């Protein structure tokens, strides 16, 4: 960027879990941020929380990206946009199996609307992808050239299709530069405990269920199987602190602005490169918080892969980014957020 003035970044889904943390990191890196969100899975009070953390209230437009005209009109009102970080989507694997059309509508049509609205503009675009595109990897750690397997859910398929749409659009000479970030398992919350994950209904993911059980909002935790081919029999994942994940998005934008990209479409694994089992997470939570968890070993959950963790050397070398926080810090921050939201319900 010329001079010290940073560009304006549009963050779709910016009041959501990962989006809000990324808005904080963008603002603290000097970027001006504009958020589009339809508040279908987040709360507008997050804007005040962001302002409390950074001192800057982001520009906010309540808009559903399925509204093609609305998207065209709003994007036209942003002539000096430098980049877009696209988080807005539905993300529940289980729900996607029951409601596939909702997922193709909300995760694909919204992306196409956004790309049509910016057609021909020289923009930097960061896409929220997922390690779910790898399925059960044949080789661990899994790297970015690992084969993309047939998706195990409509949700996972929307991420694979989203990557294909972006790759083909970027290669069609649309002046678009695209960085697709394949997230592993984001957990935890900002150190201020003012923003964090706000699951609606019963959390499907492990860490929010653990924290809600620990605070008494949920009952017994079920560990979905301890008879897998792992050291303690439970599944292994690459958990990454949501703040580290947010910082990876800023690194991706900076790299594109500095014209350090090697292609118009690139993918990066964003994880810690380490795997932890479900039982290791449970035991770490008890150790870090001093809270004894009420859990039992139950049956396997359908669709679960056994183990995955990322080869993150490409992000380290190319994005100049490495995850800083370990599992203990992730879980301590998740617990601090759970206690905050319990005393300050939105
Ligand atoms: P989230 O639900 O907290 O945030 C998504 C935000 O997008 C919400 O604020 C929601 O209101 C908004 N939104 C959804 N549909 C919209 C639409 N049609 N128009 C406008 N806004 C809309 O989810 P998150 O955990 O922050 O995930 C963000 C992105 O990262 C998603 O694309 C998700 O698929 C991806 N991802 C998440 C995880 C994870 O474990 N959380 C892992 C890998 C990838
Ligand atoms: C982690 C481990 C469970 C809950 C999902 C999506 C993925 C991405 C991240 C969007 C598994 C076990 C869980 C519980 C348990 N989302 N578990 N008891 O399944 O790795 O990934 O979220 O992109 O696409 O698939 O995350 O947190 O649901 O599960 O034992 O109550 O914890 O079996 O082994 P997952 P998770």
């Amino acid at each position: 960027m010329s001079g010290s003035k940073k560009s304006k970044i549009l963050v779709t889904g910016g009041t959501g879990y990962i989006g809000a943390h990324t808005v904080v990191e963008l603002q603290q890196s000097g970027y001006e941020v504009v958020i589009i969100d339809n508040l279908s899975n987040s709360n507008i009070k997050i804007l005040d929380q962001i302002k409390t953390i950074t001192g800057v209230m982001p520009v906010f437009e309540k808009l559903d990206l399925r509204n093609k005209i609305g998207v065209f009109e709003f994007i036209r009102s942003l002539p000096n946009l430098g980049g877009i970080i696209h988080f807005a989507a539905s993300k529940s694997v289980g729900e996607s199996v029951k409601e596939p059309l909702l997922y193709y509508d909300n995760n694909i049509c919204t992306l196409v609307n956004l790309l049509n609205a910016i057609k021909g503009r020289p923009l930097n675009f960061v896409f929220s992808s997922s390690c779910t595109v790898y399925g059960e990897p044949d080789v661990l750690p899994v790297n970015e050239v690992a084969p993309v397997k047939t998706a195990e859910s409509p949700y996972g398929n929307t991420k694979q299709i989203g990557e294909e749409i972006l790759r083909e659009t970027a290669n069609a000479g649309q002046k678009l530069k695209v960085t697709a970030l394949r997230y592993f398992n984001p957990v935890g919350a900002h150190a201020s405990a003012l923003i964090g994950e706000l699951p609606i209904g019963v959390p499907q993911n492990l860490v929010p269920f653990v924290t809600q059980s620990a605070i008494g909002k949920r009952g017994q935790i079920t560990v979905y199987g301890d008879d897998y081919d792992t050291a303690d029999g439970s599944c292994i994942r690459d958990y990454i602190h949501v703040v580290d994940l947010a910082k990876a998005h800023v690194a991706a934008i900076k790299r594109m602005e500095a014209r350090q990209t090697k292609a118009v479409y690139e993918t990066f694994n964003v994880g810690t490169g380490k795997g932890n089992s479900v039982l290791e997470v449970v035991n770490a939570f008890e150790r870090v918080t001093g809270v004894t968890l009420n859990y039992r070993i139950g049956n396997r959950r359908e669709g679960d892969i056994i183990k995955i963790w990322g080869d993150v050397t490409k992000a380290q070398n190319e994005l100049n980014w490495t995850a800083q926080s370990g599992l203990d810090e992730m879980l301590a921050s998740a617990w601090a957020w759970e206690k905050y939201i319990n005393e300050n319900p939105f």
Side-chain angles (χ1 to χ4, degrees):
M1 292 304 299
S2 58
S4 60
K5 180 147 177 51
K6 294 276 189 183
S7 64
K8 183 181 287 186
I9 304 293
L10 171 64
V11 179
T12 75
T15 50
Y17 174 39
I18 305 170
H21 286 85
T22 303
V23 168
V24 165
E25 297 305 323
L26 284 165
Q27 289 184 331
Q28 291 181 335
S29 297
Y31 288 94
E32 188 185 342
V33 175
V34 177
I35 294 173
I36 288 178
D37 204 299
N38 68 353
L39 302 177
S40 60
N41 200 38
S42 56
N43 190 303
I44 193 144
K45 289 181 184 170
I46 285 292
L47 295 174
D48 293 327
Q49 305 294 88
I50 291 171
K51 183 172 189 301
T52 304
I53 296 169
T54 67
V56 179
M57 177 65 84
V59 173
F60 176 73
E61 179 75 8
K62 187 182 177 194
L63 174 63
D64 189 321
L65 290 175
R66 287 170 293 193
N67 171 359
K68 186 173 182 176
I69 305 300
V71 171
F72 268 76
E73 286 172 355
F74 187 68
I75 292 291
R76 196 165 42 221
S77 76
L78 298 172
N80 58 346
L81 207 52
I84 295 178
I85 304 180
H86 181 46
F87 292 109
S90 300
K91 62 164 180 175
S92 165
V93 172
E95 183 186 47
S96 78
V97 174
K98 299 188 190 98
E99 298 284 351
L101 290 179
L102 185 154
Y103 275 69
Y104 290 110
D105 189 28
N106 204 45
N107 294 9
I108 301 301
C109 298
T110 51
L111 174 61
V112 173
N113 285 348
L114 193 55
L115 291 173
N116 274 325
I118 62 173
K119 197 167 185 176
R121 288 173 66 168
L123 282 170
N124 300 318
F125 194 102
V126 180
F127 177 61
S128 295
S129 191
S130 168
C131 65
T132 203
V133 302
Y134 297 119
E136 186 82 54
D138 302 321
V139 176
L140 285 169
V142 62
N143 64 29
E144 289 85 350
V145 294
V148 169
K149 301 260 184 85
T150 302
E152 316 233 337
S153 69
Y155 166 74
N157 203 25
T158 67
K159 289 304 172 183
Q160 291 181 9
I161 296 168
E163 286 195 6
E164 288 167 16
I165 290 170
L166 285 161
R167 185 178 62 246
E168 289 163 4
T169 303
N171 287 328
Q174 302 286 348
K175 299 182 194 170
L176 204 59
K177 275 192 278 188
V178 179
T179 301
L181 299 181
R182 292 172 174 170
Y183 312 161
F184 284 71
N185 287 59
V187 296
H190 190 264
S192 65
L194 292 173
I195 55 175
E197 194 165 7
L198 271 173
I200 293 175
V202 179
Q204 299 307 302
N205 295 132
L206 176 66
V207 170
F209 196 99
V210 162
T211 58
Q212 289 193 9
S213 173
I215 207 147
K217 278 176 78 172
R218 300 288 165 207
Q220 189 178 51
I221 299 157
T222 302
V223 172
Y224 294 137
D226 70 346
D227 57 353
Y228 286 101
D229 177 21
T230 63
D232 63 18
S234 62
C235 295
I236 296 173
R237 296 289 185 272
D238 182 335
Y239 296 96
I240 177 171
H241 198 298
V242 66
V243 173
D244 280 331
L245 177 58
K247 290 177 189 286
H249 291 76
V250 180
I253 287 284
K254 284 181 174 175
R255 177 172 177 267
M256 289 191 276
E257 285 178 341
R259 304 180 192 286
Q260 292 167 345
T261 51
K262 300 223 166 100
V264 290
Y265 176 82
E266 296 174 285
T267 58
F268 292 91
N269 284 344
V270 184
T272 62
K274 300 181 193 71
N276 283 111
S277 73
V278 177
L279 287 169
E280 283 173 340
V281 170
V282 167
N283 295 332
F285 184 87
E286 291 186 320
R287 174 168 43 78
V288 163
T289 63
V291 173
T292 302
L293 291 174
N294 171 13
Y295 70 95
R296 72 180 184 89
I297 305 297
N299 296 329
R300 296 180 172 192
R301 181 172 71 173
E302 194 181 339
D304 270 338
I305 60 171
I306 301 170
K307 45 193 169 188
I308 186 169
W309 59 93
D311 175 341
V312 293
T313 49
K314 186 181 173 189
Q316 289 166 352
N317 298 335
E318 295 286 340
L319 291 185
N320 188 28
W321 168 92
T322 303
Q324 298 300 308
S325 297
L327 187 62
D328 288 4
E329 198 173 336
M330 294 178 214
L331 297 173
S333 67
W335 181 229
W337 162 250
E338 189 65 58
K339 289 187 288 186
Y340 172 84
I341 202 71
N342 192 50
E343 288 146 29
N344 307 273
F346 279 8

